[in-house]
Amino acid sequence: MTLTAPAQFTAPVAVNRLTADDDLFLKLHSLYGNALVNQLAWRFDKPLDPEILTRFHAHLAHGFLARRVQPVRVPFARPYWLPATESLPLVWESVPVAEDEMLDWYFAQSRVDFDPTTGQVWRLSATTTTTGGTLVSLVTSHVASDGGAVLFAVGDALARLYDSPDVTAGSGQLVGSQPRNALAANVIDAGRQLRAVAHGIRAAIAARGVVEPDRNPRPALPEFPLPTQWSPADLVVQLDLTEWNAAATRHSGTTNGLLIALGAGILGRSGRVGDTAGIRVDIPHSMRTSDDPRANATTGLPISVTYRADERIDLAAVRSAVKRAATAYRDPATTPALQHLQPLQMVLPRFVLRHFARTAKAPECLCTNLGETASGVADFAGHHASAVLMRPVVCTNDTDMFRRVEVGVNLSFSTDGHTVTLAVTGADPDRFPSRAALRELLSAEFEAWGLAPQFW
């Protein structure tokens, strides 16, 4: 077997403070628990040696994901990351999973309690299939990692499978360490934060004329008689990448544009918006750099996409909108005011943030393009996964909560260079009440683009 040589890392500054995004996800976790988690999952057609996963788990437990939040007592100073003191054990389930039960098994892995204060922020689980294969799931808390962080940690762990797990050798050394004089370091950080707040307020005032695309209010009706607890409808499909790109090219678009068009098209077909509505689509954009110690290093680019009934989304218009949004976010003068207020968000009293969190709205259409990420994490010591899936999982929760936050549809795209794996979640209980209803809408949208997906 051949393993890629482990990367060498440059040690970070001693203290790795939480970012505004880390802080926001931590506060949301305190309010809603694990309402949203990330999942990286693998399908193997043949048995996978449990010893490989045991080694993999050990490296993750000493790697980039193994971090805990260290609170601080100095007002306005930010908490920071330290290496985790605990990790959830590897779970091997004994009951084989049938082909038509795979999606349910993967979704069930989202039922886990995370604790950012101890470092219990990820869980690795596996099971066999009735056809002799193996399913593997890595579920992670968004408090401690975005998609880029997960891929970075997993890639490093796989490259080091046959080394001894050591926090000082692998990606774990980037997590951060305790300052020599915690009180002095926190006082200094408090001063920096107050200056950042003042700078952010000035920048927000200067950018007060910058506007973002509006989201559509969620129609109150129809309201289906559903249980008080509801699991969002989820689907996973696979397509040939060449076929995907050909469809995009035929309609003057890009790989990413077709993803956005599918999301907007599904939302329109569901009846969530009317004809000629401008749908707000949020596009996560990675800001991660080499040896980046941040747990979350992603920003969002919002665009408006016009939906027209019985017509395909205009891919050329989508392409132009994405370019404009990317250009705007590179210049503070054209960055929306709310982005400048992130330092203020971190120092606001908790009761104020609770109010904003409880009245905040979820994206109506979220489209995540992870690019060619699957190929880098598909091999476990010579065992090649037949499919790799990466997606956000919207967990089971109160049905009325989904209605209140007005969540819509999420799409996540990844490829190994040959096959596209697309994860779709319909989280509006009255537009996507079941997996079957979501599949009907998705099939119609694929047919409009001349695409023939294979459903899991």
Side-chain angles (χ1 to χ4, degrees), residues 365-377:
C365 185
L366 179 68
C367 294
T368 305
N369 185 350
L370 295 161
E372 195 170 329
T373 56
S375 58
V377 295

Side-chain angles (χ1 to χ4, degrees), residues 366-406:
L366 179 68
C367 294
T368 305
N369 185 350
L370 295 161
E372 195 170 329
T373 56
S375 58
V377 295
D379 284 293
F380 280 58
H383 298 264
H384 189 77
S386 59
V388 179
L389 166 68
M390 191 165 191
R391 63 175 180 172
V393 179
V394 185
C395 303
T396 302
N397 215 312
D398 295 338
T399 308
D400 286 340
M401 187 276 293
F402 288 110
R403 291 171 174 144
R404 185 177 68 251
V405 302
E406 300 186 0

Side-chain angles (χ1 to χ4, degrees), residues 29 34 37-38 64-69 81 84 86-88 112-123 138-145 150:
H29 180 273
N34 302 318
V37 297
N38 288 323
F64 196 69
L65 299 182
R67 58 176 67 203
R68 62 183 175 89
V69 175
W81 295 108
E86 301 176 21
S87 63
L88 295 169
V112 55
D113 290 326
F114 288 133
D115 184 357
T117 62
T118 65
Q120 292 183 332
V121 290
W122 58 276
R123 185 180 71 168
L138 175 62
V139 173
T140 54
S141 167
H142 219 320
V143 176
S145 58
V150 173

Side-chain angles (χ1 to χ4, degrees), residues 26-48:
L26 181 62
K27 290 182 170 71
L28 290 175
H29 180 273
S30 70
L31 288 174
Y32 297 115
N34 302 318
L36 176 72
V37 297
N38 288 323
Q39 183 177 51
L40 180 58
W42 297 262
R43 284 176 58 183
F44 293 91
D45 292 335
K46 295 181 180 180
L48 191 64

